[in-house]
């Protein structure tokens, strides 16, 4: 795949790097961007240069989803290149750092965490860190073309089909080429880590449906949003589903041990499940528990508890 170049850009998260893919073509295209940080821009520009292109000549930026490590630099690249920016319509709200939009998002995170039983000082800490990250690591785009799934992107010698695969985020997409046997999977399937969905309503239920759909695709090589490319996507999907089952079973046994009282509070369950929850962990751990409770409820394993009234934070 000589015309597809992976450029790894550092990010200050445990996964350390995000993959951006530059496709050399008469319509030079970038899939995912990294965060809005000067170093990230330089690495990306150098990577595109090394591949024989020029960042100012990029014509099309496609984001696999609206998380800032995948789309935070889009506004800056658009500014210098005038490229079209394409992202699924359901992730549009994640791309803004307009103060009013951020206020609405922070209120949603605040009520999600509070309703999940997270103690007030932790809620305040998480929300203030999120506000700081969203304010600085996203360069707002000047405009975007919404995707809905089903679009076909033409290249000189192949096509990429967008497939809506909600779950990791509401607007996650994968890009598939049957002729090349490749799948750009964003964060839907990674080889090295399992990323739980983030506090969006019924995220795990949707994520599992998306995984089932991806398992049905003919794919020889997965090009993920983080980590190395890999083959045998069905083996990886089985492994991810096994991990989901293990965690759901653990949550179920916590619920069974302590009856239907206080243990139904997501934060209480998370405190039993995870050894420590400092800083941002409170958000990730509680989101995971809420997602699994929703899955258990969806599968009819548990009744709908009041503690699940927490909404999403899209
Ligand atoms: Zn993501
Ligand atoms: Zn990511």
């Amino acid at each position: 795949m000589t015309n597809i170049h992976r450029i790894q850009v550092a990010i200050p998260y445990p996964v350390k790097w995000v993959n951006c893919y530059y496709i050399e073509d008469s319509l030079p295209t970038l899939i995912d961007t990294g965060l809005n940080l000067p170093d990230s821009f330089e690495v990306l520009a150098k990577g595109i240069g090394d591949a024989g292109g020029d960042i100012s000549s990029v014509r099309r930026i496609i984001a696999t989803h609206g998380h800032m490590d995948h789309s935070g630099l889009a506004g800056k690249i658009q500014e210098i290149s005038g490229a079209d920016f394409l992202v699924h319509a359901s992730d549009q709200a994640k791309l803004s750092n307009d103060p009013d939009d951020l206020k609405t998002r922070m209120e949603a995170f605040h009520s999600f965490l509070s309703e999940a039983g997270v103690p007030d000082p932790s809620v305040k800490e998480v929300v203030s860190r999120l506000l700081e990250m969203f304010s600085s690591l996203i360069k707002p785009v000047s405009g975007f073309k919404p995707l809905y799934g089903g679009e076909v992107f033409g290249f000189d010698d192949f096509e990429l089909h967008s497939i809506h695969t909600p779950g990791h985020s509401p607007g996650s997409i994968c890009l598939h080429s049957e002729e090349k046997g490749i799948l750009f999977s964003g964060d839907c399937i990674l080889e090295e880590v399992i990323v739980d969905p983030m506090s969006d309503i019924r995220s795990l239920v949707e994520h599992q449906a998306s995984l089932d759909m991806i398992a049905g695709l003919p794919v020889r090589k997965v090009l993920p949003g983080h980590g190395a490319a890999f083959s045998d996507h069905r083996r990886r999907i089985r492994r991810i589903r096994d991990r989901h089952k293990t965690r759901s079973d653990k949550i179920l046994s916590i619920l069974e041990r302590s009856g239907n009282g206080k243990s139904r509070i997501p934060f209480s369950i998370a405190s039993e499940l995870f050894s420590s929850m400092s800083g941002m962990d409170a958000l990730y751990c509680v989101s995971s528990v809420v997602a699994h409770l929703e899955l258990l409820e969806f599968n009819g394993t548990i009744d709908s508890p009041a503690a699940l009234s927490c909404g999403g934070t899209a």
Side-chain angles (χ1 to χ4, degrees):
M1 275 172 281
T2 49
N3 60 344
I4 300 175
H5 304 268
R6 176 170 76 128
I7 303 165
Q8 290 197 90
V9 179
I11 49 173
Y13 300 160
V15 283
K16 292 198 172 100
W17 307 91
V18 62
N19 291 327
C20 305
Y21 295 94
Y22 174 67
I23 304 178
E24 256 183 294
D25 191 81
S26 49
L27 215 54
T29 299
L30 186 64
I31 298 175
D32 290 345
T33 70
L35 295 164
N36 179 34
L37 290 168
D39 286 358
S40 304
F41 179 79
E42 275 170 34
V43 168
L44 198 56
K46 180 173 184 318
I48 293 174
D50 290 348
D54 186 322
I55 198 162
S56 64
S57 305
V58 169
R59 298 269 65 88
R60 205 163 42 179
I61 307 162
I62 307 171
T64 57
H65 59 297
H67 287 163
M68 56 193 171
D69 49 331
H70 297 261
S71 56
L73 254 180
K76 166 120 178 148
I77 302 165
Q78 243 186 350
E79 214 171 63
I80 61 160
S81 67
D84 285 338
F85 176 61
L86 302 106
V87 66
H88 194 279
S90 300
D91 275 3
Q92 179 191 356
K94 298 185 192 302
L95 304 169
S96 168
N97 65 2
D98 173 87
D100 286 342
D101 293 342
L102 282 183
K103 188 166 173 278
T104 306
R105 284 188 79 190
M106 292 311 115
E107 283 166 1
F109 275 110
H110 195 287
S111 36
F112 170 78
L113 291 166
S114 295
E115 286 172 30
V118 178
D120 211 36
S122 290
V123 174
K124 289 204 170 80
E125 186 190 346
V126 169
V127 170
S128 87
R129 284 176 70 172
L130 285 171
L131 181 61
E132 197 184 304
M133 288 196 292
F134 291 152
S135 307
S136 62
L137 299 176
I138 300 170
K139 171 81 178 174
V141 291
S142 52
F144 77 99
K145 295 189 173 173
L147 301 176
Y148 298 94
E151 293 82 7
V152 180
F153 300 108
F155 292 86
D156 295 339
D157 62 350
F158 71 111
E159 287 180 340
L160 279 178
H161 294 244
S162 83
I163 304 167
H164 187 203
T165 48
H168 174 74
S169 73
S172 283
I173 60 161
C174 288
L175 295 162
H176 181 232
S177 164
E178 188 162 350
E179 57 207 309
K180 277 190 180 273
I182 56 170
L183 182 81
F184 293 94
S185 66
D187 285 356
C188 283
I189 345 173
L190 307 172
E191 173 72 341
E192 290 156 25
V193 287
I194 294 174
V195 185
D196 271 343
M198 283 276 292
S199 62
D200 290 305
I201 297 170
R202 290 184 51 193
S203 49
L204 197 50
V205 176
E206 293 196 338
H207 185 51
Q208 291 199 341
S210 294
L211 291 176
D212 290 347
M213 183 166 53
I214 294 168
L217 296 172
V219 174
R220 288 192 298 279
K221 192 170 187 184
V222 178
L223 302 166
H226 305 272
F230 60 96
S231 55
D232 199 351
H233 65 304
R234 294 183 183 115
R235 169 199 53 80
R236 186 59 186 152
I237 287 169
R238 280 195 300 277
R239 173 91 184 83
I240 294 170
R241 295 292 298 252
D242 286 350
R243 216 291 298 264
H244 290 163
K245 173 139 187 6
T246 305
R247 182 160 293 177
S248 279
D249 286 349
K250 279 188 188 163
I251 290 174
L252 199 54
S253 75
I254 292 172
L255 289 175
E256 282 166 359
R257 266 205 315 274
S258 18
N260 285 338
K262 154 172 174 297
S263 65
R264 286 250 172 153
I265 297 165
F267 182 75
S268 303
I269 297 170
S271 304
E272 284 205 46
L273 204 57
F274 302 101
S275 49
S276 82
M277 278 192 286
S278 59
M280 292 295 288
D281 290 346
L283 174 65
Y284 305 135
C285 297
V286 162
S287 297
S288 174
V289 169
V290 169
H292 279 273
L293 288 171
E294 287 167 342
L295 182 66
L296 287 165
E297 181 200 344
F298 178 80
N299 291 336
T301 314
I302 59 170
D303 297 332
S304 174
L308 293 193
S309 60
C310 6
T313 56

